[in-house]
Amino acid sequence: MPTYDRESGEFASAEGAARGGYVLQEASSGRPRVILIGTGSELQLAVKARAALEADGIPARVVSMPSVEWFNEQDESYRDSVLPPDIKARVSVEAGIALGWREIVGDSGRSVSLEHYGASADYQILFEQFGITSEAVVAAAHDSITAATR
């Protein structure tokens, strides 16, 4: 998995991990149209998808969410600063089942996930085989933006 240069200012400090979730990368405009949420190895897909969305003029925030449980224990103002309630376009990226992400992504949100068990291989092969790719995250982001503006 890639490591991110926290000194450059492009990526936030990992200190927010202790709160369960934090803004890893802010939208270029400061105000995202979509929020991409990743956990462990999936985070790299959200970062890559953000770059593609930003190149298309769609400001996107990347949230690292290593622990939904810890994040939910934070006060409402912190949770709202990471996931502003008025930004309905959201995509979760999970190399497991999407169960539980619905409460975070909401009705307009989408989940890029693996809904079955039993496959075994290098994660890169599995991600590609089962559609857990940055391209799938970009497509889900476009779909979520459309759903959020209805």
Side-chain angles (χ1 to χ4, degrees):
M1 291 189 297
T3 56
Y4 299 113
D5 179 5
R6 307 293 181 136
E7 303 296 319
S8 71
E10 182 180 357
F11 298 96
S13 160
E15 291 175 9
R19 299 185 91 171
Y22 62 99
V23 177
L24 174 70
Q25 225 179 356
E26 188 55 87
S28 61
S29 68
R31 181 76 181 152
R33 284 188 57 205
V34 62
I35 300 172
L36 311 175
I37 309 159
T39 54
S41 60
E42 303 89 346
L43 194 58
Q44 64 188 311
L45 302 176
V47 168
K48 190 173 179 184
R50 177 195 174 272
L53 290 163
E54 291 273 347
D56 285 342
I58 300 171
R61 170 184 286 184
V62 175
V63 169
S64 176
M65 185 81 63
S67 174
V68 173
E69 192 175 339
W70 292 356
F71 182 74
N72 286 336
E73 291 173 355
Q74 304 307 309
D75 62 71
E76 184 177 4
S77 65
Y78 177 76
R79 292 191 316 268
D80 289 351
S81 73
V82 175
L83 300 172
D86 62 322
I87 300 173
K88 305 292 185 194
R90 300 176 181 184
V91 178
S92 66
V93 190
E94 174 67 57
I97 61 173
L99 184 67
W101 284 105
R102 181 79 167 162
E103 85 175 52
I104 291 177
V105 298
D107 292 338
S108 299
R110 301 295 182 258
S111 291
V112 175
S113 60
L114 181 63
E115 297 300 316
H116 58 83
Y117 297 98
S120 179
D122 177 88
Y123 82 91
Q124 293 166 324
I125 293 169
L126 290 175
F127 279 14
E128 191 65 38
Q129 286 286 316
F130 296 114
I132 302 174
T133 63
S134 61
E135 294 82 8
V137 175
V138 169
H142 284 290
D143 191 37
S144 184
I145 290 168
T146 299
T149 56
R150 287 187 196 148

